[in-house]
Amino acid sequence: MALLSVTNLGISFGGLRAVDGFNLTIEEGELYGLIGPNGAGKTTVFNMLTGIYKPTDGKIHLAGKDITGGHTAEINKAGIARTFQNIRLFGDQSVKDNVKIGLHNTFEYGTFTGVFRLPKYFSTEKEMDKKALEILAVFGLDEEADVLASNLPYGKQRQLEIARALATNPKLLLLDEPAAGMNPNETADLMNTIALIRKEFGVTILLIEHDMKLVSGICEKLTVLNFGRVLAAGETSAVLNDPEVIKAYLGE
Amino acid sequence: MKNLNKSTQKLITTILTIFVLYIVMQVMEQTGNLSSLMSGLLVPVCAYSLVAVGLNLCVGYLGELSLGHAGFMCVGAFTSAFFSKTFQGTIPDVPRFILALVIGTLAAALFGFLIAIPVLRLSGDYLAIVTLAFGEIIKNVINVLYIGMDGNGIHFSMKDMMSLGLEPGGTMLINGPQGITGTPRQSTFTIAVLLLILSLIITHNFVNSRTGRAVKAIRDNQIAAETVGLPITKYKLVAFTISAAIAGVGGVLYAHNINSLTATTNNFGYNMSIMILVYVVLGGIGNFSGSVVAAVVLTLLPELLRGLSNYRMLIYSIVLIALMLFNWAPGILKFREEHGLTGAAIIGKFKKNKEVQ
């Protein structure tokens, strides 16, 4: 059974049909790319998958469970985590705390325990610190654990956002333009990081990207969106050589 | 103290400072060096500080502007005073005051919770307006409440005193605009300081706990907080309720410090809500110790300036503006940073001197 299966997904904003008849099937462990020109509706698809937008029609199933139109927090608990095109960190909190917020639903103690510092507070916080530092170490961010998130350089902010998403222990990770604004060196680093987290966390990844080098380098399958509709889908090399796709990207 | 983090160190410093001030005030009062005006202000200062700490939790950590915290203070004041007055003859002093404290706090928390359910769907200006209206409604409802007690039990009316039909020996508990008179004056300076310290510890622990982190995450970026699985509404409710409860404690202290408790614009109306917001903003949003300092300074200032008679409020306003510039103006902040005049730098110097000795 596919990990994610999306059938006939569509959304309208007033008279504008932003996404129409969108289909997508992702098997467990795949690294899947979603590409398309600007304004094609890629981020809108992500927003529907994570419950930020409620789709007008269509169905989304995660590991066989219907999550269509569910609440964002519930969808995260079901197993989808994401990053954002315009980075959304908790800027006024430390790098470690950002990851600990991602661990919120894994390690639990109540408000009362926290306010009155019962023994469970100390033991759970200690475990959370340990786990958070483990995750940060994968990204080489453990040295900066106590730095304010907003003070990190741009590339590291992107990595922290991925670390925070992984802390929620997702089955499927959605990356929205992870290489946006990065130089070629940083992009190469990012490709290594993505390969590393697939290995370390065993997570399935769906990513939106414009950087063709990154897409052709790491994605196994692609879906191309254009004007809210699927233009092509399949193995990466086949899709990238499709004349329709070349036309949409480069013009005639 | 080395392995404690910054915010814990700051909390300890604040508590020690409050304790030292408390000793100084006690000594001055015992030796007769404190004017009656000043000694009368000791408990209200603590009460206002408490409400400011409560509001700071809402403004600084939940990131929502409430203009109704005088309303929660009012709920705490009237429920606890009502309880104390009703059971004045039946329950001994100490347990009655403790119960009054619990009841006042819980009532304010309950109101906070009920108001928060509809209000937290709004944000920004709208939330401010709705909470402002709530504060006014509470105050006005209390002004038309008539409750009396006689041999037959409790009588209630929202019309006037006559319509209660009290027996000759009955007592009025709440008498409309005249409020509650003859509440036992049990708020001592010691209790007030203890409650203030307790509230500082509770708020500090709260914002550094799992729940507190979630509340801050929601403030920093609500959409991101949702996508990492935080139940937004739940944590907003928790923070707002705790904030209201702390304001309620301030109300209990305030009510048990005066003979006649009335709900007027000056003590529980928007004037007070704005005043408390001024304490919070001036003391630093998100800085609980700062709220206490601002509340103390700004409550004492008008009294100390009394000698200037008509110019008093003028000077007061100028001081407010000057303090605001000192705390927030970017140019002055830069100047302070360059010349080592920030709070952190001053504390740092102080510590170094100590180590040298």
Side-chain angles (χ1 to χ4, degrees):
Chain A
M1 184 179 50
L3 178 66
L4 180 77
S5 91
V6 178
T7 41
N8 221 5
L9 197 67
I11 187 169
S12 306
F13 299 107
L16 177 77
R17 190 74 180 159
V19 173
D20 189 36
F22 180 79
N23 291 301
L24 180 68
T25 308
I26 300 180
E27 300 295 334
E28 202 169 324
E30 270 181 339
L31 207 170
Y32 205 108
L34 181 59
I35 63 169
N38 284 325
K42 304 179 297 290
T43 300
T44 308
V45 168
F46 268 28
N47 284 341
M48 285 190 283
L49 290 178
T50 51
I52 293 170
Y53 293 158
K54 309 286 171 229
T56 325
D57 35 333
K59 287 275 171 225
I60 305 166
H61 289 268
L62 182 74
K65 193 179 147 206
D66 187 359
I67 55 163
T68 319
H71 194 275
T72 306
E74 296 305 321
I75 288 178
N76 176 261
K77 282 184 200 164
I80 298 184
R82 71 172 288 183
T83 66
F84 296 87
Q85 194 175 345
N86 46 342
I87 305 173
R88 290 174 182 267
L89 288 171
F90 306 126
D92 272 353
Q93 303 193 61
S94 72
V95 167
K96 189 171 75 184
D97 279 356
N98 269 269
V99 177
K100 279 167 87 176
I101 291 163
L103 294 169
H104 188 90
N105 290 323
T106 317
F107 295 89
E108 295 203 13
Y109 64 83
T111 307
F112 186 85
T113 311
V115 165
F116 294 98
R117 299 260 159 125
L118 305 181
K120 196 175 173 205
Y121 164 84
F122 293 100
S123 59
T124 315
E125 284 288 315
K126 210 172 152 190
E127 283 173 48
M128 280 176 109
D129 280 340
K130 196 173 151 239
K131 182 78 189 163
L133 287 174
E134 265 174 41
I135 295 174
L136 284 173
V138 173
F139 293 84
L141 282 168
D142 46 341
E143 295 283 314
E144 277 124 332
D146 294 321
V147 178
L148 272 193
S150 55
N151 290 344
L152 280 183
Y154 183 82
K156 289 188 175 178
Q157 290 198 8
R158 285 233 172 260
Q159 302 225 324
L160 176 58
E161 216 189 9
I162 300 175
R164 183 185 68 190
L166 283 171
T168 65
N169 198 17
K171 298 186 185 102
L172 176 66
L173 178 64
L174 310 182
L175 302 174
D176 196 346
E177 294 200 27
M182 284 187 173
N183 63 34
N185 284 339
E186 285 173 321
T187 308
D189 278 349
L190 181 75
M191 285 165 76
N192 290 335
T193 311
I194 292 174
L196 186 67
I197 57 179
R198 275 182 86 188
K199 207 174 82 192
E200 292 264 329
F201 297 90
V203 67
T204 310
I205 298 174
L206 170 63
L207 62 84
I208 295 177
E209 192 44 72
H210 281 302
D211 189 319
M212 280 307 142
K213 214 170 141 195
L214 187 141
V215 171
S216 57
I218 60 172
C219 291
E220 289 150 359
K221 282 185 185 168
L222 286 183
T223 288
V224 186
L225 263 185
N226 197 22
F227 296 114
R229 298 188 137 271
V230 175
L231 193 67
E235 299 291 330
T236 301
S237 54
V239 170
L240 289 179
N241 292 320
D242 187 322
E244 285 291 316
V245 175
I246 296 171
K247 201 169 96 185
Y249 261 97
L250 303 173
E252 288 181 80
Chain B
M1 236 166 97
K2 279 251 165 71
N3 50 16
L4 292 175
N5 63 32
K6 247 186 192 164
S7 71
T8 314
Q9 282 185 21
K10 192 172 159 198
L11 174 73
I12 293 170
T13 317
T14 311
I15 291 175
L16 287 179
T17 315
I18 292 177
F19 191 69
V20 169
L21 282 177
Y22 165 75
I23 302 278
V24 170
M25 284 297 160
Q26 284 293 23
V27 169
M28 278 174 77
E29 196 171 23
Q30 298 299 324
T31 53
N33 282 317
L34 209 59
S35 69
S36 63
L37 186 77
M38 282 295 282
S39 69
L41 275 175
L42 293 177
V43 176
V45 162
C46 292
Y48 298 147
S49 302
L50 268 162
V51 185
V53 168
L55 181 62
N56 208 341
L57 184 64
C58 181
V59 176
Y61 291 89
L62 185 57
E64 298 292 2
L65 179 58
S66 159
L67 292 178
H69 266 57
F72 299 125
M73 186 182 174
C74 186
V75 170
F78 272 86
T79 48
S80 64
F82 177 75
F83 174 83
S84 290
K85 170 109 181 169
T86 311
F87 294 98
Q88 202 157 7
T90 39
I91 306 179
D93 280 355
V94 175
R96 190 188 62 226
F97 183 68
I98 293 171
L99 276 174
L101 190 61
V102 172
I103 287 172
T105 312
L106 288 182
L110 178 69
F111 270 78
F113 179 75
L114 292 177
I115 302 289
I117 294 172
V119 154
L120 288 177
R121 290 171 194 279
L122 306 167
S123 62
D125 303 350
Y126 301 103
L127 189 120
I129 292 166
V130 175
T131 48
L132 178 70
F134 154 74
E136 291 303 292
I137 290 169
I138 290 281
K139 190 194 78 195
N140 289 316
V141 165
I142 283 173
N143 275 327
V144 294
L145 268 189
Y146 295 86
I147 299 177
M149 186 171 65
D150 61 14
N152 297 326
I154 299 225
H155 298 254
F156 168 85
S157 161
M158 288 184 84
K159 207 163 123 219
D160 55 30
M161 194 176 148
M162 289 306 126
S163 60
L164 288 177
L166 282 185
E167 286 174 358
T171 47
M172 284 304 288
L173 296 172
I174 300 182
N175 190 6
Q178 276 136 47
I180 302 179
T181 41
T183 320
R185 296 187 59 172
Q186 288 175 297
S187 297
T188 62
F189 185 40
T190 312
I191 292 173
V193 166
L194 284 177
L195 287 174
L196 180 59
I197 290 176
L198 185 67
S199 79
L200 284 171
I201 295 174
I202 285 178
T203 46
H204 167 268
N205 286 356
F206 177 76
V207 301
N208 291 302
S209 73
R210 174 173 170 267
T211 315
R213 272 196 304 270
V215 170
K216 286 185 279 181
I218 294 164
R219 170 200 65 187
D220 285 351
N221 200 315
Q222 186 163 332
I223 289 181
E226 279 181 294
T227 60
V228 294
L230 301 182
I232 306 290
T233 316
K234 177 184 160 191
Y235 286 126
K236 278 186 164 183
L237 276 176
V238 169
F240 198 81
T241 305
I242 293 180
S243 167
I246 295 173
V249 178
V252 176
L253 278 181
Y254 183 89
H256 289 78
N257 184 49
I258 46 177
N259 275 325
S260 92
L261 178 69
T262 55
T264 65
T265 308
N266 280 329
N267 62 6
F268 295 129
Y270 60 84
N271 278 4
M272 180 47 78
S273 284
I274 300 283
M275 209 53 232
I276 290 162
L277 184 64
V278 169
Y279 301 155
V280 170
V281 174
L282 210 59
I285 290 171
N287 179 350
F288 295 120
S289 318
S291 300
V292 177
V293 175
V296 171
V297 171
L298 292 185
T299 316
L300 296 184
L301 198 62
E303 303 302 333
L304 297 174
L305 292 176
R306 220 165 255 282
L308 298 167
S309 63
N310 286 342
Y311 296 104
R312 183 168 69 107
M313 287 325 278
L314 179 68
I315 305 276
Y316 179 75
S317 324
I318 292 173
V319 170
L320 263 189
I321 294 171
L323 277 175
M324 198 64 108
L325 288 174
F326 183 75
N327 265 345
W328 295 104
I332 295 178
L333 280 182
K334 207 174 152 215
F335 177 86
R336 284 171 62 194
E337 212 135 277
E338 280 164 9
H339 294 78
L341 288 172
T342 56
I346 292 169
I347 290 174
K349 259 183 211 165
F350 181 69
K351 270 191 189 146
K352 251 183 219 156
N353 286 346
K354 249 189 181 169
E355 276 163 22
V356 169
Q357 284 164 4

